[in-house]
Amino acid sequence: MTLDSVLSPLFFILVFPGFFFLSVYGTFLEWVDRKCYALMQNRIGPPIYQPVADFIKLLAKETIIPKHCDTALFKTLPFFAMASVITAMLLVPVWPQALFPFQGDLVVIIYLLTIPTMTFFLAGWSSSSPFATIGAVRVLTQLFAYEVPLMLALLGPAILAGSWNITEISKFMFQNPLLLIVQIPGFLIAVITLQGKLERLPFDIPHGETEIVGGAFTEYSGGLLAFFNLAIDMEMVVGAALINAVFLGGSMGADGILAIVVFLGKTTFIVLLLSVLKAIMARIRIEQMINFCWKILAPLSLIQIAMNIALKIRIG
Amino acid sequence: MKIITKLITWSQMKSPWIIHFNSGACNGCDIEILDALTPKYDLERFGVLLKGTPRHADVLLVSGSVSRQIHKRLVRIYEQMPNPKFVVAIGACACSGGVFDGCYSTLGGVDKAIPVSAYIPGCPAKPEAIIDGMIKLLASLKE
Ligand code: SF4
């Protein structure tokens, strides 16, 4: 094993597109989201350094560990969430190509993005507080609602491209931009379900402050909470990057630095879409969300898939 | 070391998350606190976020005089907050007992139960006064 073969994966994991890039860009996107939300409510909104200040403050705070909780689990969960998100990022194309493309990475990435949700559930469950337990159960219930439409929506372009490889799908979508017009329902479904995955309004049922105080994170404080927040920011970046790659043709054939600029611009655009959704809607109840996902989004995405199969047969 | 301490102080000044507790107010002060959080006054531009759980919060906003019944609960909420933590007493009642002072069922001001960092007078305290008090409390962190 040469030094280079150890150093370059380390660079990928720790600097770009791994931990460092994701945390910087994630905190930036959190600011974009909060600022856009504030502007839509006719407010001034937080300054650009706000997420950084929040993070440092939480790190410096005392971390309280409840007496009756599973201490080891409670302490390691935020890092599990972060690790799985960073791993997922290694499979999304930031350059024209993903770092480690292979057939079926679309499925793997959806699986990796489910792990943070599971850690939220375990976080709530292991903190043994009634509010956190209710929040944890809601996290799982919500997972079953949005996961299926999200998967089906992402399948649409995969069927058209005839490949399970994200890099190939994004190349295909870029070469056939007209097909994007047919994919608009699928794109919207993916954006809405991503909102559910990130547990933001109108799907922030697992931590509805007015009902169950802090939801699954009720007992978390200090540094552990900071890392959970960071993991959620990172998940937002990866989710936006995934939708960008699958539906919007990824880096659009650009190369080098330009590819990264295109990537940043398009993911910011998707996050802006997410914050508009957040600003114009109020929280819905859990059974409304499940009805909406299973009775409206899932059939719609099935229709989308049927349409794509018909199209695929037409164009061959 | 000095730089890190400075950075931490800066972050504490820029990101105070609050939790609101009614210890026996007439609800006048509570409405004013909510008022300060509305888009018109927009506390988020100072980094203030309203949190539901004491574990996430740095600043406890208490309104109203402390009644004997709520005394234990107030202390418990205060103890559940991670350090460093601050308490702001909002309204004449929270500062000194106000119109409820000397009543058989009340203990008096908030400082009878827990240590208070800032007092914001008024009956009810105006949203402008609440924001001003918060900013002055944060500015005092520098020293
Ligand atoms: S200070 Fe005035 S408004 Fe506030 S709780 Fe007391 S009586 Fe009510």
Side-chain angles (χ1 to χ4, degrees):
Chain A
M1 216 200 255
T2 58
L3 186 67
D4 191 48
S5 68
V6 179
L7 273 187
S8 71
L10 264 187
F11 178 80
F12 290 146
I13 292 170
L14 291 180
V15 184
F16 186 90
F19 176 75
F20 182 73
F21 168 73
L22 269 185
S23 43
V24 171
Y25 191 45
T27 43
F28 171 72
L29 280 188
E30 189 196 333
W31 172 75
V32 169
D33 170 43
R34 278 168 72 174
K35 185 83 182 174
C36 173
Y37 187 52
L39 288 179
M40 281 192 71
Q41 291 181 337
N42 226 346
R43 294 189 282 132
I44 296 171
I48 190 161
Y49 52 73
Q50 190 58 54
V52 183
D54 288 349
F55 184 73
I56 298 174
K57 178 207 71 178
L58 281 176
L59 274 189
K61 262 182 100 89
E62 179 192 3
T63 304
I64 297 178
I65 302 208
K67 204 168 159 192
H68 298 294
C69 79
D70 186 335
T71 317
L73 201 62
F74 191 84
K75 276 186 188 161
T76 45
L77 281 171
F79 304 102
F80 266 114
M82 227 160 60
S84 59
V85 175
I86 293 172
T87 318
M89 190 62 188
L90 297 180
L91 301 177
V92 187
V94 179
W95 281 299
Q97 205 184 12
L99 284 173
F100 306 109
F102 56 91
Q103 273 300 334
D105 53 4
L106 185 62
V107 182
V108 175
I109 215 171
I110 290 172
Y111 162 73
L112 281 174
L113 284 183
T114 312
I115 294 180
T117 317
M118 294 311 288
T119 63
F120 301 162
F121 161 72
L122 283 175
W125 196 258
S126 70
S127 36
S128 69
S129 127
F131 295 121
T133 312
I134 295 176
V137 173
R138 288 188 185 185
V139 168
L140 265 201
T141 319
Q142 192 166 306
L143 174 76
F144 289 117
Y146 64 71
E147 199 70 3
V148 174
L150 177 62
M151 181 77 202
L152 290 177
L154 292 176
L155 260 185
I159 287 175
L160 270 185
S163 158
W164 287 86
N165 186 329
I166 300 178
T167 311
E168 278 172 25
I169 297 172
S170 76
K171 249 186 216 133
F172 176 83
M173 288 309 281
F174 170 62
Q175 280 153 4
N176 307 280
L178 274 183
L179 284 179
L180 181 62
I181 299 167
V182 200
Q183 299 304 319
I184 289 176
F187 174 70
L188 291 180
I189 292 169
V191 169
I192 292 172
T193 46
L194 179 64
Q195 192 84 336
K197 197 171 202 45
L198 298 170
E199 292 172 7
R200 291 145 50 89
L201 276 168
F203 304 131
D204 68 337
I205 311 158
H207 45 81
E209 284 92 354
T210 40
E211 307 159 21
I212 48 171
V213 293
F217 301 141
T218 303
E219 294 294 334
Y220 271 85
S221 57
L224 296 176
L225 182 67
F227 281 110
F228 255 134
N229 286 346
L230 191 63
I232 293 175
D233 287 348
M234 288 177 170
E235 199 184 353
M236 184 154 77
V237 179
V238 179
L242 180 64
I243 289 185
N244 169 31
V246 173
F247 285 98
L248 303 180
S251 56
M252 308 212 287
D255 224 337
I257 296 290
L258 196 64
I260 293 169
V261 173
V262 171
F263 170 83
L264 295 183
K266 280 161 86 184
T267 40
T268 311
F269 166 72
I270 291 170
V271 168
L272 283 180
L273 270 187
L274 290 178
S275 34
V276 169
L277 268 185
K278 177 174 146 187
I280 61 177
M281 277 191 260
R283 184 187 316 134
I284 56 177
R285 287 198 310 273
I286 184 101
E287 97 274 7
Q288 287 172 330
M289 148 144 202
I290 292 183
N291 275 340
F292 175 68
C293 284
W294 279 101
K295 291 190 181 154
I296 298 175
L297 290 187
L300 268 183
S301 40
L302 281 178
I303 292 173
Q304 170 82 58
I305 286 186
M307 219 157 68
N308 284 349
I309 293 176
L311 251 179
K312 179 82 183 161
I313 294 171
R314 268 306 283 283
I315 56 175
Chain B
M1 249 9 248
K2 227 174 168 188
I3 294 178
I4 293 180
T5 332
K6 257 191 185 161
L7 196 68
I8 290 172
T9 319
W10 169 82
S11 69
Q12 279 166 352
M13 275 169 59
K14 293 300 176 192
S15 139
W17 291 356
I18 60 173
I19 179 170
H20 166 208
F21 186 77
N22 180 342
S23 64
C26 75
N27 238 327
C29 286
D30 303 276
I31 292 172
E32 298 303 317
I33 293 173
L34 294 185
D35 221 14
L37 291 163
T38 51
K40 185 168 181 197
Y41 296 101
D42 185 23
L43 269 179
E44 203 190 354
R45 67 198 146 116
F46 303 116
V48 176
L49 281 186
L50 182 66
K51 290 283 162 186
T53 147
R55 293 263 195 255
H56 298 188
D58 311 288
V59 182
L60 177 64
L61 301 184
V62 189
S63 57
S65 59
V66 182
S67 68
R68 282 183 202 281
Q69 201 176 15
I70 216 142
H71 177 207
K72 267 194 216 146
R73 278 106 184 158
L74 176 62
V75 174
R76 198 155 160 213
I77 296 257
Y78 176 73
E79 281 168 354
Q80 285 192 358
M81 288 168 63
N83 277 323
K85 53 193 169 187
F86 309 97
V87 177
V88 179
I90 288 177
C93 294
C95 292
S96 65
V99 284
F100 302 109
D101 193 27
C103 183
Y104 67 92
S105 60
T106 58
L107 216 67
V110 176
D111 48 10
K112 296 262 163 52
I114 49 178
V116 175
S117 319
Y119 298 86
I120 299 172
C123 180
K126 282 183 124 193
E128 291 92 336
I130 296 175
I131 295 172
D132 189 44
M134 287 284 293
I135 301 299
K136 277 189 183 140
L137 168 71
L138 296 174
S140 74
L141 282 180
K142 238 184 197 161
E143 280 119 47

